[in-house]
């Protein structure tokens, strides 16, 4: 049993190291902007109602590619941008770590809509914003193309997780920490 735990821990550390090295590659502003634009095109293409949500939102935080990996110990990372009025306002990173039943690797995209100016102002005023601690995000669990009800649309912050690839499927944003960055 001890040997199995050691092997699982070593594999977990290897996967985390690999994931961290991939995530550590600094993306330029231009790379992030292009990826954000592509992600928003996929987002609106998946459901025509999303264009109206984007228009109504006070701010839109887009993480085109969040990579998650782990074996017992897991982590995830992604870079993105906050858009206000359709223009990039700032750049952000999303990170989280987990301990427990995590096995595999995967990628996904996330779009977080701040539907009120108050929710956006609170986000922008924070140094590190934690989903589930600093704000409750109504996660639309059916991905970018899914339908949502009118009660969901009344929430001040809406989160969409979509384009999931790999062996880890996770629709939870809880525990993710989001911090402003200065890409090159």
């Amino acid at each position: 049993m001890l040997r199995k735990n050691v092997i699982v821990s070593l594999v977990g550390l290897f996967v985390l190291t690999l994931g961290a090295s991939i995530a550590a590659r600094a993306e330029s502003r231009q790379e992030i902007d292009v990826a954000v634009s592509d992600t928003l095109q996929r987002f609106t293409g998946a459901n025509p109602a999303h264009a109206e949500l984007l228009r109504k939102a006070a701010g839109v935080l887009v993480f085109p590619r969040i990579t998650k990996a782990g074996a017992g110990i897991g982590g995830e990372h992604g870079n993105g941008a906050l858009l206000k009025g359709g223009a990039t306002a700032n750049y952000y990173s999303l990170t989280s770590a987990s301990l427990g039943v995590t096995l595999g690797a995967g990628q996904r995209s996330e779009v977080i809509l701040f539907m009120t100016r108050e929710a956006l102002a609170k986000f922008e005023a924070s140094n590190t914003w934690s989903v589930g601690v600093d704000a409750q995000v109504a996660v639309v669990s059916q991905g970018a193309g899914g339908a949502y009800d009118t009660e969901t649309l009344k929430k001040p912050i809406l989160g969409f997780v979509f384009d999931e690839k790999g062996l880890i499927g996770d629709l939870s944003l809880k525990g993710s920490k989001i911090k402003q960055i200065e890409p090159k």
Side-chain angles (χ1 to χ4, degrees):
M1 184 69 167
L2 180 60
R3 181 180 166 136
K4 183 179 179 182
N5 288 341
V6 169
I7 291 172
V8 168
S9 295
L10 288 174
V11 169
L13 287 174
F14 171 75
V15 170
L16 280 178
T17 302
L18 178 63
S21 67
I22 292 168
R25 184 184 85 65
E27 293 178 282
S28 70
R29 291 172 186 263
Q30 182 180 8
E31 288 173 314
I32 295 171
D33 289 340
V34 167
V36 164
S37 178
D38 290 346
T39 301
L40 287 175
Q41 284 182 352
R42 287 192 319 276
F43 182 68
T44 56
N47 185 335
H50 291 158
E52 181 67 14
L53 285 176
L54 290 171
R55 190 186 66 70
K56 289 181 177 180
V60 180
L61 184 59
V62 181
F63 291 99
R65 190 174 33 261
I66 298 170
T67 302
K68 182 173 186 173
I73 301 169
E76 65 183 352
H77 177 79
N79 290 329
L82 174 67
L83 306 176
K84 295 193 306 191
T88 300
N90 284 305
Y91 296 91
Y92 290 85
S93 70
L94 177 145
T95 57
S96 73
S98 63
L99 182 62
V101 188
T102 302
L103 181 62
Q107 284 188 336
R108 69 178 186 273
S109 299
E110 291 182 10
V111 173
I112 300 173
L113 304 175
F114 296 93
M115 301 308 293
T116 65
R117 294 194 187 281
E118 296 79 18
L120 177 61
K122 188 172 182 180
F123 168 75
E124 290 184 297
S126 67
N127 184 31
T128 300
W129 193 70
S130 297
V131 178
V133 175
D134 296 318
Q136 297 300 314
V137 177
V139 177
V140 179
S141 61
Q142 295 181 3
Y148 32 84
D149 59 37
T150 54
E151 285 304 309
T152 300
L153 296 180
K154 292 178 184 177
K155 304 292 184 185
I157 306 171
L158 303 175
F160 293 83
V161 178
F162 61 102
D163 282 352
E164 294 176 287
K165 299 172 183 99
L167 300 175
I168 294 180
D170 185 3
L171 292 178
S172 173
L173 301 177
K174 196 167 187 173
S176 298
K177 297 194 183 311
I178 300 172
K179 185 174 183 170
Q180 189 173 338
I181 60 170
E182 288 296 325
K184 56 181 177 163

